């Protein structure tokens, strides 16, 4: 898109936003130009909070399907648009509600804690939802001492290490983007930049998080850099986060831990798709009322641990 077309498109987006009383929410992994046009950029937890609290009538969700679905569950009176309707999350697809019900039979005393990266149907058969920002806090503070944690085995293992007093049954799911980072890659890049602090997402394997100086959600990583005295950082999460990091900290240097840290689904949202979505007020994301009714309870429990 030429810079002239881009500015015309952005102007039309602004106009349509006013006309429809819309808000644009974007995840930290979105393309740079999407983060720049959004009203709010954040991690999964902050985006859910924003969706639950906004006065806007229309929420344009620049992220992946489960995020827009969570917004639709938390804000049933709003129109939730997902400009890139095919943007799914392969990890969310690694758990089906029928399987969750089988695990419940296998561990009848366990509470089910579903990472927000899961379908509405899975949330509807879970007791609690969590994000990477509050998983440890939630698991530590809920009354149940036995937990089925799904679908991310890596986040679940990280939580189990931080909360050793609880028994946690790990689901075998993983994020294809984060899981592929190896400890060898981390050691190699640490040797290249020995002064740099290593910041990683808990969706990475535990052999990788074990080598990090800080493990946290995308917004927690941004917050960590804001407060750190260091000037160099090795970043172990999706490359989209580098945009906010460099914008906020122009004098600091960031090195992506691995060139494969790209989530193709997150990259599906484009400025043209956002415009199209606002012009036609679609694709709309909805959740069946009987699923929503049960899933909202698990999501509201998640929002208590912020
Ligand atoms: P957050 O750390 O922003 O919650 O996101 C992780 C993620 O993979 C979202 O899909
Ligand atoms: Fe799913 Fe991983 Fe992409 Fe997040 S980064 S949306 S967990 S595939």
């Amino acid at each position: 898109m030429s810079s002239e077309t881009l500015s015309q498109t952005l102007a039309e987006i602004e106009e349509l936003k006013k006309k429809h009383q819309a808000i644009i929410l974007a995840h930290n992994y979105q393309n740079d130009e999407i983060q720049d046009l959004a009203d709010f950029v954040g991690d999964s937890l902050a985006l859910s909070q924003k969706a639950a609290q906004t006065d806007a009538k229309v929420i344009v969700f620049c992220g992946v399907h489960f995020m827009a679905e969570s917004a639709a569950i938390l804000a049933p009176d709003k129109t939730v648009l997902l400009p890139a309707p095919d943007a799914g999350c392969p990890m969310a697809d690694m758990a089906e509600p029928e399987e969750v019900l089988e695990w419940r039979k296998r561990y009848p005393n366990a509470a089910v804690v579903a990472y927000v990266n899961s379908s509405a149907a899975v949330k509807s058969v879970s007791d609690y939802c969590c994000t990477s920002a509050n998983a440890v806090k939630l698991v530590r503070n809920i009354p149940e001492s036995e937990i089925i944690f799904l679908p991310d085995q890596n986040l679940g293992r990280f939580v189990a290490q931080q909360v050793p007093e609880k028994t946690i049954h790990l689901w075998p799911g993983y994020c294809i983007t984060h899981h592929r980072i190896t400890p060898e890659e981390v050691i190699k890049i640490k040797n290249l930049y020995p002064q740099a602090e290593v910041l990683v997402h808990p969706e990475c394997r535990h052999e990788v998080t074990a080598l990090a100086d800080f493990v946290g959600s995308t917004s927690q990583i941004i917050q960590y850099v804001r407060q750190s005295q260091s000037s160099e950082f090795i970043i172990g999460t999706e490359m989209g986060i580098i945009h906010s990091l460099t914008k906020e900290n122009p004098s600091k240097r960031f090195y992506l831990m691995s060139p494969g840290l790209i989530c193709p689904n997150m990259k599906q949202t484009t400025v043209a798709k956002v415009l199209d979505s606002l012009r036609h007020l679609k694709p709309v994301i909805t959740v069946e009322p009987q699923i929503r009714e049960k899933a909202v309870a698990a999501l509201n429990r998640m929002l208590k641990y912020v």
Side-chain angles (χ1 to χ4, degrees):
M1 204 181 269
S2 72
S3 61
E4 201 185 328
T5 325
L6 179 63
S7 54
Q8 278 168 359
T9 307
L10 294 176
E12 194 180 339
I13 288 174
E14 274 311 308
E15 235 171 73
L16 288 165
K17 256 175 53 185
K18 283 194 195 108
K19 179 175 167 199
H20 298 302
Q21 295 181 44
I23 185 172
I24 301 183
L25 305 183
H27 187 264
N28 289 318
Y29 295 161
Q30 288 288 293
N31 287 313
D32 300 358
E33 57 279 16
I34 298 295
Q35 296 191 38
D36 290 341
L37 68 78
D39 296 297
F40 180 78
V41 184
D43 66 1
S44 314
L45 186 60
L47 290 170
S48 297
Q49 284 178 286
K50 206 77 188 171
Q53 291 160 3
T54 183
D55 293 332
K57 291 206 164 92
V58 173
I59 299 172
V60 182
F61 216 112
C62 300
V64 293
H65 190 268
F66 75 80
M67 295 181 170
E69 217 178 34
S70 299
I73 294 169
L74 289 164
D77 51 333
K78 320 267 178 216
T79 301
V80 178
L81 305 175
L82 182 63
D86 298 331
C89 168
M91 173 158 68
D93 296 338
M94 292 177 190
E96 294 294 338
E98 298 74 23
E99 296 171 290
V100 181
L101 295 174
E102 277 169 32
W103 277 53
R104 274 191 177 281
K105 276 193 203 139
R106 203 179 310 160
Y107 305 109
N109 298 320
V112 177
V113 178
Y115 188 24
V116 73
N117 300 38
S118 55
S119 67
V122 163
K123 290 181 175 84
S124 76
V125 291
S126 300
D127 300 301
Y128 302 89
C129 287
C130 70
T131 75
S132 57
N134 71 351
V136 170
K137 189 174 178 186
L138 182 139
V139 169
R140 187 174 285 142
N141 289 293
I142 58 178
E144 295 86 348
S145 57
E146 190 182 349
I147 284 142
I148 297 167
F149 191 94
L150 63 89
D152 188 12
Q153 58 178 292
N154 292 322
L155 177 61
R157 203 167 280 121
F158 177 71
V159 171
Q161 278 169 353
Q162 311 297 311
V163 193
E165 65 276 20
K166 301 215 173 180
T167 303
I168 303 189
H169 305 290
L170 298 176
W171 198 268
Y174 56 90
C175 163
I176 50 169
T177 304
H178 290 87
H179 195 70
R180 66 157 76 100
I181 308 177
T182 61
E184 291 73 25
E185 273 180 293
V186 185
I187 292 164
K188 206 167 144 195
I189 193 160
K190 271 175 89 142
N191 287 337
L192 265 179
Y193 305 108
Q195 307 299 330
E197 285 197 85
V198 178
L199 318 180
V200 307
H201 197 277
E203 286 177 12
C204 294
R205 293 164 189 267
H206 75 104
E207 297 90 333
V208 167
T209 54
L211 295 168
D213 297 299
F214 177 73
V215 183
S217 79
T218 53
S219 292
Q220 288 170 340
I221 289 176
I222 292 170
Q223 175 77 6
Y224 183 92
V225 169
R226 202 175 284 147
Q227 291 167 355
S228 169
Q229 297 304 308
S230 304
S231 55
E232 291 181 79
F233 303 87
I234 294 166
I235 303 296
T237 192
E238 212 272 351
M239 60 171 292
I241 196 174
I242 304 278
H243 183 60
S244 327
L245 289 172
T246 40
K247 227 165 118 178
E248 250 195 57
N249 310 276
S251 61
K252 297 186 177 180
R253 299 186 76 105
F254 302 98
Y255 312 108
L256 197 62
M257 188 174 271
S258 157
L261 276 166
I262 302 177
C263 172
N265 287 289
M266 284 285 183
K267 300 306 187 225
Q268 284 196 38
T269 318
T270 59
V271 177
K273 284 184 190 171
V274 172
L275 174 61
D276 209 50
S277 179
L278 272 165
R279 270 185 184 158
H280 305 288
L281 288 184
K282 51 184 197 196
V284 178
I285 301 301
T286 53
V287 177
E288 281 175 45
Q290 61 273 34
I291 301 262
R292 186 201 163 259
E293 226 169 83
K294 293 184 189 144
V296 76
L299 275 169
N300 279 331
R301 286 183 200 119
M302 168 181 97
L303 295 177
K304 281 194 186 147
Y305 295 89
V306 287

